[in-house]
Amino acid sequence: GAVVSQHPSWVICKSGTSVKIECRSLDFQATTMFWYRQFPKQSLMLMATSNEGSKATYEQGVEKDKFLINHASLTLSTLTVTSAHPEDSSFYICSARGASEKLFFGSGTQLSVL
Amino acid sequence: GDSVTQMEGPVTLSEEAFLTINCTYTATGYPSLFWYVQYPGEGLQLLLKATKADDKGSNKGFEATYRKETTSFHLEKGSVQVSDSAVYFCALRATNTGNQFYFGTGTSLTVIP
């Protein structure tokens, strides 16, 4: 089946630094990629939707200048958390959708900001 | 707005026990309903789905029935195995908001021998 690779799976960073998370579709072309985050004991929430070659669409309440999403190719999307702060500590997960319209998820990234 | 409410965990069961994980939803229109599973160290995988009322999704011994009258999509399995230990997410896909997914909080299941 289709595979989505997400890296890193776990990252610790200092407050004020930036962190980049990569999401790759390994055996299909992902025309659309989604980024979610989950705070402890809360639902997995959609942050933004990105289509290859165009700007990401952010959900209400998500700061686009803080969470930079790049979807430069049909197999790679990146989420950069800029100037991370402890309140950004969360579980981030990507998903990708190709021509089949099925949704495939990465394994997630646990971000801890000290 | 659309949302999913899922039974909180963690849930611990003995092997061969009966499993129920409750899920209810709020949605306008006619959403599709899903159960996703995340095994340790892996990504979310689709477990089963139902696209209309009274549909029953089934896979790997798991079942869930789309109940419009009770707005529920409870996950059941008659006899769990150790290999079923994972986190289970209930989700809906809204049909009138660009196919956006809404997820529950996830329920961690541990099956002990």
Side-chain angles (χ1 to χ4, degrees):
Chain A
V3 176
V4 173
S5 174
Q6 184 174 342
H7 293 283
S9 56
W10 183 69
V11 58
I12 299 176
C13 70
K14 291 182 179 180
S15 185
T17 61
S18 295
V19 175
K20 180 184 284 188
I21 303 170
E22 289 190 351
C23 182
R24 294 180 184 272
S25 57
L26 298 184
D27 54 0
F28 69 101
Q29 293 185 326
T31 50
T32 306
M33 286 193 173
F34 305 86
W35 287 95
Y36 301 82
R37 66 180 168 185
Q38 183 179 27
F39 293 109
K41 298 190 176 182
Q42 295 187 24
S43 301
L44 203 63
M45 298 295 293
L46 181 65
M47 297 175 66
T49 302
S50 72
N51 294 296
E52 185 264 339
S54 61
K55 289 184 179 180
T57 302
Y58 291 80
E59 296 302 304
Q60 192 172 7
V62 178
E63 300 174 58
K64 62 180 181 181
D65 294 330
K66 181 171 187 60
F67 299 99
L68 302 179
I69 292 173
N70 184 286
H71 191 171
S73 77
L74 285 171
T75 58
L76 174 65
S77 176
T78 59
L79 167 67
T80 302
V81 183
T82 62
S83 187
H85 290 283
E87 58 266 29
D88 299 322
S89 298
S90 183
F91 180 73
Y92 295 85
I93 193 166
C94 69
S95 66
R97 186 170 66 199
S100 70
E101 292 294 307
K102 292 183 179 179
L103 204 59
F104 300 97
F105 288 82
S107 54
T109 299
Q110 183 63 52
L111 170 64
S112 296
V113 184
L114 304 178
Chain B
D2 295 355
S3 66
V4 173
T5 301
Q6 184 175 343
M7 184 175 88
E8 282 195 28
V11 174
T12 302
L13 295 174
S14 297
E15 207 165 19
E16 299 183 1
F18 185 86
L19 169 72
T20 299
I21 301 177
N22 290 335
C23 172
T24 57
Y25 68 91
T26 301
T28 55
Y30 303 93
S32 295
L33 301 174
F34 304 79
W35 277 99
Y36 283 86
V37 58
Q38 185 172 29
Y39 298 104
E42 299 183 18
L44 284 170
Q45 303 172 25
L46 178 63
L47 179 60
L48 54 85
K49 68 177 182 181
T51 58
K52 62 182 188 296
D54 299 325
D55 268 1
K56 177 186 284 188
S58 61
N59 186 25
K60 299 182 180 181
F62 290 90
E63 292 183 341
T65 302
Y66 189 145
R67 302 278 188 206
K68 191 168 176 63
E69 64 276 15
T70 54
T71 61
S72 65
F73 193 57
H74 305 321
L75 182 68
E76 297 183 336
K77 186 173 185 180
S79 176
V80 293
Q81 305 300 312
V82 172
S83 56
D84 294 326
S85 297
V87 181
Y88 294 81
F89 289 86
C90 184
L92 73 80
R93 185 172 67 196
T95 55
N96 59 345
T97 56
N99 289 317
Q100 181 172 324
F101 274 83
Y102 296 87
F103 287 83
T105 53
T107 301
S108 175
L109 169 67
T110 300
V111 180
I112 55 178

